[in-house]
Amino acid sequence: MPTITLASWNVNSLKVRLPQLLDWLTHSSVDAIVLQETKLTDDQFPVDAIQEAGFDVVFTGQKTYNGVALLTRRATMGAPVDVDLNLPGFPDEQKRLVAATLTHLASGESLRFVGGYFPNGMTPGSWKYLYKLDWLRALRTYLDTSLKTYPRLVLGGDFNIAPTDLDVWNPESWKDGILVSPPERQAFQDLLSLGLTDSYRHCHPDEVGYSWWDYRMKGFEKNHGLRIDHLLISDALMPQLSEANIHTAMRAQAQPSDHAPVLVTFNF
């Protein structure tokens, strides 16, 4: 039975993490991956290295901050088509969204893959927090429209939202703070209400699993983390959902990103 594996990973600087990414792609079965925080202007993006590794890529970036990319394995996936870079109609210079339609060569199945680097928000009540909520509302509108055209859709990325207390290592210490505040969590639920499912929580309803750990205070070693990286899948893809996981081993490498890749696999 043909399978399609999608992933999302906040690399926290592609310049630093490129060797890790290429090695992981070589030894994994990932067919397509969305990246966040590439932190590279487009002229500095390592297109040649990624193509030499057997992947097509679409991307948009900026210096020092943000930046997103979508990589597809050439041996298993057709080149991305109908590409969107950033939220249509949302006046924003920050490079936070990439989307494309992908076709699996073996099965002929197509789906829409959307990757986002959601704003952090800094602190509740700040202008960055209000920008985050505005961006989330614009994203919901975009997805609502997209789902009408592309009912088989996956939304991946660094959401900068831990949806429930199960996704937080010490809920009391984080209570009402950034990443877990009620408006942010409501925005996450608003995305689900479009007909999307949190793939990891669906496959692991009661399991503690984190995708981000602070570099400070031995956050990873103590497993003081948050689950803020997600892959949401549309209702039309639910029958094909096979598994969803977090590849925590990437966080244990030398010079790691503070995030681990998250993955979802479909059977077609």
Side-chain angles (χ1 to χ4, degrees):
M1 178 180 294
T3 64
I4 299 176
T5 298
L6 306 180
S8 174
W9 187 20
N10 180 325
V11 293
N12 191 14
S13 174
L14 185 55
K15 182 178 180 179
V16 174
R17 241 63 69 182
L18 181 61
Q20 292 181 22
L21 172 66
L22 296 177
D23 182 69
W24 185 62
L25 292 175
T26 298
H27 294 96
S28 77
S29 58
V30 169
D31 297 293
I33 181 171
V34 286
L35 305 178
Q36 302 86 45
E37 283 203 275
T38 56
K39 298 182 179 180
L40 292 170
T41 53
D42 289 353
D43 61 306
Q44 296 295 314
F45 198 90
V47 176
D48 291 344
I50 288 171
Q51 290 181 338
E52 287 172 9
F55 285 77
D56 291 317
V57 60
V58 291
F59 55 90
T60 183
Q62 62 192 94
K63 185 178 181 180
T64 308
Y65 300 102
N66 308 321
V68 290
L70 168 56
L71 285 64
T72 52
R73 190 181 296 275
R74 204 174 299 119
T76 60
M77 306 295 285
V81 298
D82 300 330
V83 175
D84 282 340
L85 299 175
N86 295 322
L87 286 170
F90 187 70
D92 186 16
E93 295 181 358
Q94 300 189 40
K95 309 303 183 182
R96 294 189 174 276
L97 185 130
V98 58
T101 300
L102 312 179
T103 300
H104 187 237
L105 297 178
S107 65
E109 302 288 349
S110 295
L111 55 81
R112 187 73 172 171
F113 197 11
V114 182
Y117 175 47
F118 293 41
N120 175 278
M122 191 169 69
T123 187
S126 68
W127 73 265
K128 290 185 177 181
Y129 182 78
L130 299 178
Y131 161 69
K132 179 178 189 173
L133 297 181
D134 284 345
W135 192 89
L136 283 161
R137 282 189 287 268
L139 175 66
R140 188 183 188 281
T141 298
Y142 169 75
L143 292 171
D144 189 27
T145 300
S146 295
L147 282 162
K148 293 178 174 62
T149 305
Y150 312 104
R152 301 207 299 184
L153 182 147
V154 177
L155 171 65
D158 173 3
F159 283 48
N160 272 313
I161 301 172
T164 71
D165 284 353
L166 184 60
D167 306 306
V168 182
W169 76 270
N170 185 345
E172 191 58 34
S173 69
W174 284 84
K175 186 175 175 61
D176 295 331
I178 197 64
L179 312 184
V180 303
S181 70
E184 292 169 282
R185 286 181 165 176
Q186 183 58 55
F188 187 91
Q189 293 302 314
D190 290 344
L191 293 178
L192 297 184
S193 72
L194 292 172
L196 299 173
T197 295
D198 180 346
S199 60
Y200 181 84
R201 190 53 67 214
H202 178 83
C203 294
H204 308 276
D206 303 310
E207 186 173 327
V208 172
Y210 304 134
S211 64
W212 173 88
W213 302 260
D214 200 321
Y215 286 127
R216 300 166 294 180
M217 305 297 290
K218 296 186 176 181
F220 181 68
E221 291 78 0
K222 296 176 180 177
N223 201 28
H224 290 176
L226 302 174
R227 190 174 71 93
I228 58 175
D229 301 87
H230 308 291
L231 287 158
L232 307 187
I233 66 174
S234 66
D235 291 345
L237 282 170
M238 282 298 291
Q240 281 72 47
L241 175 62
S242 173
E243 59 179 319
N245 294 293
I246 304 170
H247 194 170
T248 56
M250 293 300 290
R251 182 61 173 81
Q253 294 196 357
Q255 275 196 302
S257 169
D258 46 353
H259 295 254
V262 295
L263 303 92
V264 64
T265 297
F266 301 98
N267 291 331
F268 286 98

